[in-house]
Amino acid sequence: MTHSAPAVELAGLTKTFGPVTAVDGLSLRIAPGEVVAFLGPNGAGKTTTVDMLLGLARPDAGTVRIFGGTPADAVRHGLVAAVMQTGGLLKDLTVAETVRMTAHFHARTRPVAEVLARAGIADIADRPVGRCSGGQQQRLRFALALLSDPDLMVLDEPTTGMDVEGRRDFWQAIRADARAGRTILFATHYLDEADAYADRIVLVRQGRVVADGTTAEIKNLAAGRVVRATLPGADQAALAALPGVRAVEVRGDGVLVRTDDSDAVARHLLTRTAARDVEITSRNLEDAFLALTTDSLTAETIGA
Amino acid sequence: MTVATSPATTAPARRADRRPPALGGFSTAVLAIEIRRLLRNRRTLMFTLVMPAVFFLLFGLPQRGDDLPNGRPVTAWIMISLAVYAAMVATTSAGAAVATERALGWSRQLRLTPLRPAAYVATKVATAMVLGLLGVLVEFAVGAAAGVRVPVHVWLLAGLAAWLGSLVFAAFGLFVGYLAPAENVMQFMGPILAILAMLGGLFVPLEMLPDVFREIARFTPVYGVGQLARAPLTGDGFDLGALANVAAWTAAFGLGAARLFRRDTARV
């Protein structure tokens, strides 16, 4: 383990379940201190990737390195901790007992009272786990993950099934804890979570990385508006030369212009060409997400 | 979320502190929490402590005044048999708790901690043996309170044999626990244990069963423990067959559990 080892290094990770390829040659490098959202629709291979990252599943091909070592090594030394989606708690223990018990599995931990407070569950310390809400149980999992004060924290869809308030409380706890230098990787299919909490978004689809960039870069993919029109024999170059135009695409008789200045494009189309059925739509992160993660459209990849 | 500009500076320095826990994570503190969990479970207490005691009051007390061929009280024979039964139910249920914990995903959660799987199993066995000891002690206490009187060495040796012999069932419980991840494993284990106890001569003397059952019974897993635990009372002397029975079943369940356990916890 050296100074320069990435927090996470996945290379050519592949996992198949029968005829289904869940993860398909996925590679990813995360530097220490990054807060990365692993964003994709259900079934994109996020959980399978997380399982392999943590050493809970064996890759069919490819390698996993955490701070330069194996996942098992990272777990044994308390370098990595994880908050999994569901399960993994004993209903008959109280919240505090669960944390105390888990603390004894490590050589050295943060004080139990401290992690309870940081996870925002100090007030329910004596409540049996079986009587805690889903959100409270998730914050308990977070408290357990905080015990070893890990350098890498992995969260697998941590807010699935929570109501809006539960999600907000959970992220508030995570935010409050954003210790300098801790690397965080969280899988999610909520765009707004990725947008609000990550510095970098890795978009996955069908077990592959389809886009990887800063939150701003990913949002840029979705910036501006799209002008559609029916225009046989459209002059692509002329359209591309208009101010604010980012991309021009011709599909049969149709033309599709992505632009920051939809007025200029519409004016051009209507006054200088024979275009008809002009239609202007705005794109948001949701569209970028859909565009990048839906089968029918071509994926675009921007450099990290 | 803000991130510090020099994120890599703290991690390597702290890594020097990071070492795996001693004994693979086994600790008496965890053992204490595990035992408290068991004592909080009313179902477990019912089947391991209350029921055998009630059995004694129902079926043992009416035989007060009857003597064994060597002049010692029949109630002591029944009390020791039921102590074996209490210990075996206790250790089986504590061992089989791994089934519940696997079903709940707790064992998966544990794989994300430095706890070694062997330390986990050691904790389970130790917990089982503490509950088993409690089962024996409660049964003996009820017996003593109800007037059972035998020499001190009989109390000690019979108690020790009943307790240590229940190790067979700690292994049995673990074996079942690793066989099937089910939250309610003891619901189908209860009747199985009752049948085994019957065949092991814990409820009625084997002499009262038909010959064919008696022959089969000698090879069932409760038989050996029962014989060894009652030997100090009956004065039958050391029974090599009974000892072989205990050793064989402990080995069989222990190896079976170890095999399933390795399959379950194979690190990748």
Side-chain angles (χ1 to χ4, degrees), chain B:
Chain B
M1 206 174 272
T2 47
V3 172
T5 45
S6 57
T9 49
T10 52
R14 287 157 12 87
R15 193 154 304 140
D17 300 348
R18 294 191 183 279
R19 56 194 159 81
L23 298 176
F26 180 90
S27 74
T28 48
V30 173
L31 190 58
I33 295 177
E34 286 283 12
I35 289 163
R36 203 159 61 227
R37 270 182 80 196
L38 279 176
L39 297 182
R40 252 195 325 235
N41 188 329
R42 266 189 233 127
R43 222 187 137 78
T44 304
L45 294 188
M46 185 72 195
F47 284 105
T48 60
L49 304 182
V50 178
M51 231 169 66
V54 170
F55 281 174
F56 177 77
L57 298 177
L58 285 179
F59 308 115
L61 280 189
Q63 313 227 24
R64 209 157 28 170
D66 294 352
D67 285 336
L68 295 169
N70 68 353
R72 295 215 171 112
V74 167
T75 47
W77 194 96
I78 296 170
M79 176 192 75
I80 294 170
S81 296
L82 288 173
V84 172
Y85 176 68
M88 71 182 261
V89 175
T91 51
T92 305
S93 66
V98 298
T100 312
E101 301 188 358
R102 286 174 68 220
L104 289 173
W106 177 247
S107 41
R108 189 178 158 89
Q109 172 79 29
L110 291 179
R111 289 174 67 183
L112 298 174
T113 72
L115 177 71
R116 302 302 276 185
Y120 172 74
V121 168
T123 307
K124 286 290 164 211
V125 171
T127 309
M129 293 311 283
V130 169
L131 191 66
L133 181 62
L134 213 58
V136 173
L137 291 178
V138 167
E139 191 67 24
F140 276 15
V142 170
V148 174
R149 295 290 176 267
V150 287
V152 175
H153 79 272
V154 173
W155 286 113
L156 278 179
L157 292 177
L160 214 58
W163 178 53
L164 292 179
S166 67
L167 193 60
V168 181
F169 292 95
F172 180 51
L174 284 170
F175 176 70
V176 172
Y178 279 110
L179 203 60
E183 273 197 63
N184 52 358
V185 62
M186 277 313 282
Q187 273 170 24
F188 66 86
M189 287 302 288
I192 292 176
L193 289 180
I195 292 167
L196 289 178
M198 177 68 106
L199 286 173
L202 297 187
F203 295 154
V204 289
L206 283 178
E207 291 76 50
M208 292 170 66
L209 294 179
D211 276 355
V212 56
F213 276 108
R214 226 156 59 198
E215 281 310 306
I216 296 171
R218 295 167 53 84
F219 299 100
T220 59
V222 181
Y223 173 83
V225 194
Q227 289 296 104
L228 289 180
R230 285 184 304 245
L233 176 76
T234 58
D236 282 349
F238 197 73
D239 182 346
L240 214 59
L243 195 69
N245 175 299
V246 173
W249 282 107
T250 307
F253 290 140
L255 290 176
R259 205 187 152 87
L260 292 172
F261 161 79
R262 269 202 299 275
R263 191 184 69 187
D264 188 63
T265 55
R267 290 260 172 191
V268 293

